[in-house]
Amino acid sequence: MSRPKVLVVGSGGVGTICALSLTVRDRSEVTLVVRSDYDLITSKGYTINSCTYGKLEGWRPHHVARNVVEARELYGEFDYIVLTTKNIPDGTSTCEDIIRPAVTEKSTIILVQNGLSIEEPMIAAFPKNTILSGVSLIGSTNYNGVIENKGRDHIILGDFKKPELRHENSQEVIDKFVEIYQNDNGLNKIEIDNDAQKTRWEKLVYNCVFNTMTALVNLDVSRCQIFSGNDALFRPAMKEVIAIAKSVGIEVSPEIPEKYIHIGDGFFYSPSMCVDMRKNQLMELEVILGNPLKIAEKNKVSTPILSTVYHLLIMVQQRIKEERGIIKIDPADFQCNSDKYSEIYKQKYHQ
Amino acid sequence: MSRPKVLVVGSGGVGTICALSLTVRDRSEVTLVVRSDYDLITSKGYTINSCTYGKLEGWRPHHVARNVVEARELYGEFDYIVLTTKNIPDGTSTCEDIIRPAVTEKSTIILVQNGLSIEEPMIAAFPKNTILSGVSLIGSTNYNGVIENKGRDHIILGDFKKPELRHENSQEVIDKFVEIYQNDNGLNKIEIDNDAQKTRWEKLVYNCVFNTMTALVNLDVSRCQIFSGNDALFRPAMKEVIAIAKSVGIEVSPEIPEKYIHIGDGFFYSPSMCVDMRKNQLMELEVILGNPLKIAEKNKVSTPILSTVYHLLIMVQQRIKEERGIIKIDPADFQCNSDKYSEIYKQKYHQ
């Protein structure tokens, strides 16, 4: 693979800058799947305001495709499939289904996504492919083809599996991706990560706490802190995340909680789950909080705050589903003992 | 007081039906304070759709006043002041301040309000007056002068204080109020309550749980139950309320939790805090949940679910305050370590 073919699936703030980094480097052939903005991007291209790459007007990667099927048909077999969509297993389609049309024997799949236990269904669906973990630390948004990239592009890349379980090509495909991604003069940053699970748990110390609680109360992180959030909720909840990590043998670095408590000081930043709730979009609740709590339950770790937050957010997620028409509640179905409600609901929606 | 004068303060669903019950009985002279709807009510009166009193068009009590000061000036000294407003000590004015202009030596004050520890500031403000606890079990709303009363008017009335601490006129003023309130043929129902605190704690088993959680997730009770609320949140949280009650020597009757779990089966009912949140109005958070949790803290009762819900709702309450312009957050004041935020905020708002 002298000039690998890369498919980037998901053209939000993260995916677009990912495609840009690869295109600037120009050691791969980059196809970006662009769904709702397809006509806009093929005619006008992106407007990029990037702390990493400056201002660009009318930028496009090598190829743009309407969907994964079209990408496969028009631009061939991909060496890398970089998935940067939201991961919502309780939503309308799974990540496995989204990329399936493009996966071939030679594909390495890179999940540049939030959350925990996201690789397991992917490994089950594509057992012969190497699945890499990409944790993005970028700050980047896409509104109607205008990319605002305020944090330097920074990806931490590693194999999800422990060294002894990895496919034999694991190190080779990681090294190759670093080579085609890392731009000169340290413009962006891609790091090899030998402990991908630890990196994910450390990011969860932020996401399990700030993403979830800001979504419940509809406030940015700084306002929550003004209203006493640091000591009342954030720090105690972070301890619960760290205890769950410990139950699977992962020691979160001791500086992590205070780093995250202060990472947004003065920024009045709203995390993605809060933004999704405001837009009435499904939230990444299961991969960010549900999956860690499954581990807590299995390992009997006490998580009173996170469990309460989770059960409340399940209700919010269902509210969003009803408002979007994904589910429909007919009161006539529920004129009975309320302890039978969830069973009736499950039967109706096969959940 | 052969024909007592009664002032009803608060003309929502509860207060209006309260004034109606007294007026129908016609053994007292009833003045109702009507603020925002004053012109409408003096010109057209109320439209009443009541399961207790049927359909009435253009109904008015004996007197209507714009505010408490006007009521005192025009309609004299009151034997009873019945307070049916929301009780929001963290809002713009306290209940004590609201009724103060009408309180004289002869006034008995009846708090027909939700929550706990609401009598203490009232007793401190008016130590010479008898303060009665009125728990209303009515279902009644007022939208622009149209009263929809779907649950029979039912008040449980008692002295807040233990028998040995009561004013000497306590039994007399209770008996008299029952006489002027209880209509013939059991149309409505007023009960004398010898254990007002127990009655309040039992109502809190509902309010601490359903009011608070539905406000956080913006869903009616039945939808929360469809999404597994009974076992995931409601029953465990009710146990916490019962444990707090026990710590002050009050045994909640054992049938109460299941009674409340099923009281709204099939109704898709949204409790008042949820309605307030939707209308962007301040919620009765402190009297419903904050005050019970102060007791829990003092008596070292573990309340992981309720405490989490409370701290989240504090943030929602502050969000509502900011949206209503009661407070203003200027990000320029908070360009520092987030652990200093709440101190800066308190200094700015003298809270």
Side-chain angles (χ1 to χ4, degrees):
Chain A
M1 51 176 176
S2 59
R3 189 172 168 86
K5 291 190 176 184
V6 183
L7 177 66
V8 180
V9 181
S11 55
V14 172
T16 309
I17 295 290
C18 186
L20 176 59
S21 284
L22 290 160
T23 307
V24 168
R25 178 69 169 164
D26 203 23
R27 296 205 184 169
S28 62
E29 186 182 319
V30 183
T31 303
L32 178 62
V33 174
V34 178
R35 290 194 297 182
S36 54
D37 291 338
Y38 181 83
D39 292 335
L40 175 74
I41 299 310
T42 47
S43 62
K44 294 188 166 180
Y46 285 101
T47 300
I48 310 270
N49 296 315
S50 167
C51 68
T52 319
Y53 298 105
K55 287 184 184 296
L56 303 171
E57 277 294 338
W59 176 79
R60 273 187 292 263
H62 303 114
H63 310 296
V64 173
R66 284 177 204 273
N67 53 53
V68 173
V69 172
E70 184 184 285
R72 175 72 179 87
E73 284 171 6
L74 296 182
Y75 307 111
E77 232 181 312
F78 298 102
D79 300 286
Y80 293 98
I81 298 171
V82 182
L83 186 57
T84 69
T85 58
K86 293 224 158 105
N87 193 326
I88 303 177
D90 54 325
T92 47
S93 53
T94 67
C95 288
E96 297 74 62
D97 288 342
I98 290 169
I99 64 168
R100 183 168 284 114
V103 178
T104 65
E105 261 189 14
K106 67 188 282 199
S107 315
T108 293
I109 299 164
I110 307 181
L111 306 183
V112 184
Q113 295 181 305
N114 281 319
L116 201 77
S117 311
I118 61 175
E119 74 278 19
E120 288 157 13
M122 201 56 79
I123 289 171
F126 309 112
K128 292 180 181 166
N129 297 80
T130 289
I131 319 274
L132 301 182
S133 164
V135 167
S136 170
L137 302 178
I138 203 172
S140 183
T141 56
N142 175 359
Y143 286 107
N144 303 319
V146 180
I147 310 293
E148 296 289 343
N149 166 214
K150 293 188 175 174
R152 180 185 177 215
D153 177 29
H154 180 185
I155 284 182
I156 303 172
L157 187 73
D159 198 310
F160 273 106
K161 293 182 174 175
K162 291 179 184 169
E164 62 274 22
L165 300 174
R166 291 175 189 169
H167 287 279
E168 60 180 12
N169 75 342
S170 172
Q171 194 59 49
E172 183 196 342
V173 296
I174 290 174
D175 290 344
K176 185 71 184 174
F177 194 80
V178 170
E179 188 203 319
I180 64 172
Y181 199 87
Q182 177 63 62
N183 275 293
D184 293 335
N185 304 321
L187 268 175
N188 63 344
K189 184 173 178 188
I190 181 162
E191 278 183 278
I192 294 180
D193 180 6
N194 288 312
D195 199 347
Q197 292 299 344
K198 181 177 175 182
T199 303
R200 290 203 163 256
W201 277 103
E202 291 186 342
K203 197 172 177 196
L204 282 177
V205 172
Y206 184 99
N207 281 340
C208 277
V209 174
F210 290 123
N211 263 279
T212 57
M213 294 190 185
T214 56
L216 257 182
V217 303
N218 187 12
L219 285 174
D220 57 65
V221 173
S222 299
R223 278 184 168 77
C224 291
Q225 292 173 316
I226 290 171
F227 307 138
S228 304
N230 277 351
D231 287 333
L233 290 167
F234 294 159
R235 286 192 174 99
M238 285 178 174
K239 283 188 186 163
E240 295 183 3
V241 182
I242 292 166
I244 311 172
K246 195 165 185 171
S247 81
V248 294
I250 285 174
E251 289 285 343
V252 168
S253 302
E255 76 283 4
I256 291 286
E258 290 309 303
K259 174 183 154 191
Y260 285 144
I261 285 286
H262 296 295
I263 202 170
D265 283 5
F267 280 112
F268 289 77
Y269 177 73
S270 298
S272 64
M273 273 180 65
C274 178
V275 173
D276 285 335
M277 183 278 300
R278 287 175 182 158
K279 291 183 177 175
N280 237 12
Q281 289 174 348
L282 292 183
M283 304 174 291
E284 294 187 296
L285 175 61
E286 292 306 322
V287 299
I288 286 178
L289 187 55
N291 288 344
L293 286 178
K294 277 182 198 152
I295 294 169
E297 196 181 0
K298 191 176 144 220
N299 295 349
K300 303 200 190 319
V301 180
S302 170
T303 55
I305 298 173
L306 293 179
S307 292
T308 302
V309 167
Y310 176 60
H311 289 300
L312 291 166
L313 281 172
I314 284 176
M315 294 177 184
V316 176
Q317 184 89 321
Q318 299 287 355
R319 185 189 82 213
I320 295 170
K321 282 187 186 175
E322 190 178 6
E323 285 170 357
R324 296 185 76 83
I326 298 169
I327 61 168
K328 188 167 153 40
I329 304 292
D330 181 353
D333 293 334
F334 299 97
Q335 298 302 314
C336 62
N337 183 315
S338 60
D339 284 317
K340 296 180 181 163
Y341 284 5
S342 48
E343 193 53 41
I344 293 170
Y345 176 70
K346 275 176 199 156
Q347 282 170 6
K348 219 172 159 194
Y349 292 99
H350 310 290
Q351 286 193 335
Chain B
M1 51 176 175
S2 57
R3 189 173 169 87
K5 291 189 175 186
V6 183
L7 178 66
V8 180
V9 181
S11 54
V14 172
T16 310
I17 294 291
C18 185
L20 175 58
S21 284
L22 290 160
T23 308
V24 168
R25 178 69 169 162
D26 203 23
R27 297 205 184 171
S28 61
E29 186 182 319
V30 183
T31 303
L32 178 63
V33 174
V34 178
R35 289 195 296 184
S36 53
D37 291 337
Y38 181 83
D39 291 336
L40 175 73
I41 299 311
T42 47
S43 63
K44 292 187 166 181
Y46 285 102
T47 300
I48 310 270
N49 296 315
S50 166
C51 68
T52 318
Y53 298 106
K55 288 183 185 294
L56 302 171
E57 277 295 337
W59 175 79
R60 274 188 291 264
H62 302 115
H63 310 296
V64 173
R66 284 177 204 275
N67 53 52
V68 173
V69 172
E70 184 184 284
R72 175 74 178 84
E73 285 170 5
L74 297 182
Y75 307 111
E77 232 181 311
F78 297 102
D79 300 287
Y80 292 99
I81 298 171
V82 182
L83 187 58
T84 68
T85 59
K86 295 224 158 104
N87 193 327
I88 303 177
D90 54 324
T92 48
S93 52
T94 66
C95 288
E96 297 74 63
D97 289 343
I98 291 169
I99 64 167
R100 182 168 284 115
V103 178
T104 65
E105 261 190 13
K106 66 188 282 199
S107 315
T108 293
I109 299 165
I110 307 181
L111 307 181
V112 184
Q113 295 181 306
N114 282 320
L116 201 77
S117 311
I118 61 175
E119 74 278 19
E120 289 157 14
M122 200 56 78
I123 289 171
F126 309 112
K128 292 182 180 164
N129 298 79
T130 290
I131 319 274
L132 303 182
S133 164
V135 167
S136 170
L137 301 178
I138 202 171
S140 183
T141 56
N142 174 0
Y143 286 107
N144 303 319
V146 179
I147 310 295
E148 296 288 344
N149 165 215
K150 292 186 175 175
R152 180 185 176 213
D153 176 28
H154 180 186
I155 284 183
I156 303 172
L157 187 74
D159 198 310
F160 272 106
K161 293 183 174 173
K162 290 179 184 169
E164 62 274 20
L165 299 174
R166 291 174 189 171
H167 287 279
E168 60 181 13
N169 74 344
S170 172
Q171 195 58 49
E172 182 195 345
V173 296
I174 290 173
D175 290 343
K176 185 72 184 176
F177 193 80
V178 170
E179 187 202 319
I180 64 173
Y181 198 86
Q182 177 63 61
N183 275 293
D184 293 335
N185 304 321
L187 268 175
N188 63 343
K189 184 174 177 188
I190 180 161
E191 279 184 278
I192 294 180
D193 180 5
N194 287 313
D195 198 346
Q197 292 299 343
K198 181 177 175 183
T199 303
R200 291 203 160 257
W201 277 103
E202 290 187 342
K203 197 171 178 198
L204 282 176
V205 172
Y206 184 99
N207 281 340
C208 277
V209 174
F210 290 122
N211 262 279
T212 57
M213 295 189 185
T214 56
L216 258 181
V217 304
N218 187 12
L219 285 175
D220 57 65
V221 173
S222 298
R223 279 183 168 76
C224 291
Q225 292 173 316
I226 291 170
F227 307 139
S228 304
N230 277 351
D231 287 333
L233 290 167
F234 294 159
R235 286 192 175 100
M238 285 179 175
K239 283 187 186 162
E240 296 182 4
V241 182
I242 291 166
I244 311 172
K246 195 167 184 170
S247 81
V248 293
I250 286 174
E251 290 286 342
V252 169
S253 303
E255 76 282 4
I256 290 287
E258 291 308 304
K259 174 183 154 190
Y260 284 144
I261 285 286
H262 295 296
I263 201 168
D265 283 4
F267 280 112
F268 289 77
Y269 177 73
S270 298
S272 64
M273 273 178 65
C274 179
V275 172
D276 285 335
M277 182 279 299
R278 287 175 183 159
K279 292 184 177 173
N280 236 12
Q281 290 175 349
L282 293 182
M283 303 173 292
E284 295 187 294
L285 175 60
E286 292 306 322
V287 299
I288 286 178
L289 187 55
N291 289 343
L293 286 176
K294 276 182 198 152
I295 294 170
E297 196 181 2
K298 190 175 143 220
N299 295 348
K300 303 202 191 319
V301 180
S302 171
T303 55
I305 298 173
L306 293 179
S307 293
T308 302
V309 167
Y310 176 61
H311 289 300
L312 292 165
L313 280 173
I314 284 175
M315 295 176 183
V316 175
Q317 183 89 319
Q318 299 287 355
R319 185 189 84 213
I320 294 170
K321 282 187 188 176
E322 190 178 7
E323 286 171 356
R324 295 185 76 84
I326 298 170
I327 62 169
K328 187 166 156 40
I329 304 292
D330 181 353
D333 293 334
F334 299 97
Q335 298 302 313
C336 62
N337 182 315
S338 60
D339 284 318
K340 296 181 182 163
Y341 284 5
S342 47
E343 193 54 41
I344 294 169
Y345 176 70
K346 275 177 200 155
Q347 282 170 6
K348 220 173 158 192
Y349 292 99
H350 310 290
Q351 287 192 333

